[in-house]
Amino acid sequence: MAAAPTDVMPVVPVARGRRPLTGHGRQLNGDALAFVRQLRAYGPMAKIFIGPRPVYVVNSPELIREVLAVQARGFDKGAMFDTLRGPLGNGLITASGDVHRRRRRLIQPGFHHERIERYTDIMSERSTARSASWHPDTVVDLVPEINRLTMDILLRTLFATDPGPALHAAVKEWLSVKYRSMRLALSPLQAWAERVPVLPGWRPPDGGPLNRLRAAQQRIIDDYRADGGDRGDLLSMLLLADGPEGAMDDAEVADELITMFLAGTGTTSAAMAFAVHEVSSRPEVQARLQEEVDTVLGGRPPGFRDLRSLTYTRQVLTETLRLHPVSWLSMRRTVRPLTLGGTELPAGTDVFFSPYALHRDAELYEDPDRFAPERWAGGAARPARGTYLPFGAGNRLCVGEEFAWAQLTIALACFTSRWTLAPADGQPTRTLVGTVIRPERVPVTLTPRRTGRP
């Protein structure tokens, strides 16, 4: 009797619930977070369909690392980001291949320690001012407050002087429409329209807001070009950055400004809002935070040199980003045939992975749905490789990660040193799913503290 072959390709299971025409679109546009989490039960890899488009969802840390690091050159951002490029521009988030590598090398110096130290002064001053503007013993929804704070900090780090009302208005208008982008990328109708061009796809977000934002940015870029100096802000860094392949032109600089508006507002504000929600719901966590900020800061505003000393604050934020990784779904596409987990994938294959599902895997984290900052104490502060991805990994690791950690740490320290926060009602916080996940609202009652105020 002949021996069974040993090189049989593994069969990737198709997730249950696929429907004709729409595939798994109903699940992705329904409770998407529960759906991607369920996919981990299928093993290291599962297959879903967005309309007619097959997508391989990678579930194991080992295979996710293959995608992000070991075989990173075999992937680009994927068909979904071809769709997102229209409303979001062609900055670091959406750029692929050589364009991405060149831009990343040019932008990286803007986030070195020396610049981060300068930016933290702005973060501290604005976070202190924002928290000081709240009134005692009142109920405040901190979501819009945090949105205003992150936008304030971003504009003051991007531009050394106030860019004026035209840019403020353009950014606000653009942010109001860009949240549709992920729904567009996951639309079965859009997937069918790509295969059958005569079919109408989902209408992309109105291009007018993006065009008006670009026009407002161009006026500022022209002013900086005429001046030619380094004003110490991020825009100066973008304009002065140079490398073997030359500097960025105006269109490229504008794309990276748009990327910073997206990353510096949507993701950071969502993470901060989730952190406040978790802290305000747990008096014992808040008490430890307040004890730490009182000890480390002694009543003064936080600064760059305090970041390493605010260890429990960092644990709280690390756990927040584990439980609520705002970039909940990431996408790649193979640029050449390759083998992943024993499965041969042809060029042009879409591959997804979910940091949200990864971070809530019971095989990786004990009691994964419990908010437990202490899990990051001591030697556990560094998670096992490939199991914690709030900022991505490999050549797609967020270039502004240190900026984000600094901003989150300083803002949380400012809030909790001045106020004790308590949930204002018993309603559960609803998580909105779009390009990022974010809490719909975080209403808290503000009680002033007698000690530790900056």
Side-chain angles (χ1 to χ4, degrees):
M1 185 175 181
T6 58
D7 58 350
V8 176
M9 298 289 290
V11 176
V12 178
V14 177
R16 291 185 296 273
R18 180 188 179 190
R19 292 186 174 184
L21 299 180
T22 61
H24 295 91
R26 177 178 60 87
Q27 294 95 319
L28 285 168
N29 287 287
D31 192 347
L33 298 179
F35 177 61
V36 295
R37 193 173 179 186
Q38 291 164 8
L39 294 176
R40 299 187 71 76
Y42 290 92
M45 198 183 305
K47 194 174 184 179
I48 65 172
F49 287 82
I50 299 175
R53 181 193 294 130
V55 175
Y56 290 83
V57 181
V58 177
N59 292 319
S60 76
E62 295 78 16
L63 290 186
I64 292 174
R65 184 170 179 270
E66 283 280 322
V67 174
L68 295 181
V70 178
Q71 299 196 66
R73 292 295 182 99
F75 296 88
D76 66 11
K77 292 292 284 188
M80 298 301 170
F81 278 85
D82 292 342
T83 303
L84 295 174
R85 201 165 287 121
L88 301 185
N90 194 32
L92 275 184
I93 290 176
T94 54
S96 296
D98 291 340
V99 173
H100 176 268
R101 284 187 284 275
R102 171 177 169 266
R103 298 270 191 91
R104 187 179 179 88
R105 284 194 296 267
L106 291 172
I107 291 169
Q108 196 108 38
F111 294 96
H112 284 172
H113 290 298
E114 316 83 66
R115 292 239 177 198
I116 295 293
E117 184 170 2
R118 187 182 306 172
Y119 304 149
T120 54
D121 292 339
I122 297 171
M123 296 171 187
S124 181
E125 190 270 329
R126 299 320 301 163
S127 297
T128 300
R130 174 60 56 182
S131 61
S133 71
W134 301 334
H135 299 292
D137 304 315
T138 58
V139 174
V140 177
D141 180 4
L142 287 187
V143 167
E145 289 294 304
I146 290 169
N147 289 344
R148 294 185 190 101
L149 173 62
T150 54
M151 178 60 72
D152 186 17
I153 291 171
L154 181 64
L155 289 173
R156 289 170 187 266
T157 52
L158 279 175
F159 311 108
T161 57
D162 190 337
L167 184 75
H168 286 265
V171 171
K172 184 177 180 180
E173 182 188 25
W174 175 74
L175 287 172
S176 71
V177 300
K178 62 98 176 171
Y179 289 113
R180 287 187 54 205
S181 300
M182 184 64 81
R183 291 184 61 201
L184 175 65
L186 297 177
S187 162
L189 184 57
Q190 181 68 23
W192 276 110
E194 291 169 2
R195 287 198 174 194
V196 187
V198 296
L199 293 176
W202 267 33
R203 289 181 58 195
D206 178 15
L210 179 61
N211 293 336
R212 286 187 282 275
L213 176 56
R214 287 186 183 279
Q217 289 179 162
Q218 188 60 55
R219 289 190 288 271
I220 298 170
I221 291 170
D222 289 342
D223 179 60
Y224 272 60
R225 293 280 194 202
D227 177 65
D230 185 351
R231 305 186 187 184
D233 53 18
L234 279 168
L235 178 55
S236 294
M237 179 277 300
L238 292 175
L239 292 170
L240 296 172
D242 204 352
E245 297 166 313
M248 287 184 282
D249 60 28
D250 287 1
E252 291 175 311
V253 170
D255 276 335
E256 297 311 332
L257 284 176
I258 290 168
T259 295
M260 291 176 185
F261 285 129
L262 179 62
T265 55
T267 55
T268 307
S269 60
M272 189 69 239
F274 276 126
V276 169
H277 162 67
E278 295 292 352
V279 168
S280 65
S281 303
R282 293 169 172 79
E284 72 286 357
V285 170
Q286 185 165 193
R288 280 196 62 183
L289 275 175
Q290 290 171 333
E291 180 181 4
E292 178 174 86
V293 297
D294 290 350
T295 301
V296 172
L297 303 179
R300 60 175 172 76
F304 181 77
R305 290 177 175 80
D306 300 312
L307 295 178
R308 288 191 178 185
S309 300
L310 294 169
T311 55
Y312 186 68
T313 307
R314 178 68 174 245
Q315 290 172 32
V316 168
L317 292 168
T318 302
E319 180 70 346
T320 297
L321 290 172
R322 182 195 67 82
L323 206 58
H324 310 284
V326 293
S327 297
W328 64 281
L329 186 66
S330 291
M331 310 168 183
R332 297 291 188 272
R333 176 179 55 195
T334 58
V335 296
R336 54 175 170 77
L338 54 79
T339 300
L340 187 64
T343 299
E344 293 181 359
L345 303 180
T349 301
D350 285 308
V351 176
F352 287 6
F353 64 92
S354 172
Y356 180 90
L358 181 77
H359 291 181
R360 291 176 180 243
D361 188 333
E363 293 185 7
L364 303 177
Y365 293 98
E366 183 180 352
D367 198 1
D369 292 319
R370 184 171 67 93
F371 184 81
E374 62 273 12
R375 75 171 82 235
W376 303 104
R382 287 188 176 274
R385 178 180 288 182
T387 63
Y388 184 77
L389 302 171
F391 295 98
N395 65 356
R396 288 282 178 176
L397 179 69
C398 175
V399 71
E401 178 182 3
E402 188 177 352
F403 182 101
W405 279 117
Q407 184 171 346
L408 292 170
T409 303
I410 284 174
L412 188 58
C414 285
F415 294 174
T416 55
S417 64
R418 180 175 288 271
W419 302 100
T420 293
L421 313 172
D425 57 41
Q427 299 300 316
T429 295
R430 180 177 170 226
T431 297
L432 303 179
V433 181
T435 309
V436 300
I437 57 171
R438 64 193 197 281
E440 182 178 31
R441 52 194 292 269
V442 181
V444 298
T445 300
L446 298 164
T447 302
R449 299 188 63 222
R450 294 182 181 277
T451 61
R453 293 189 185 183

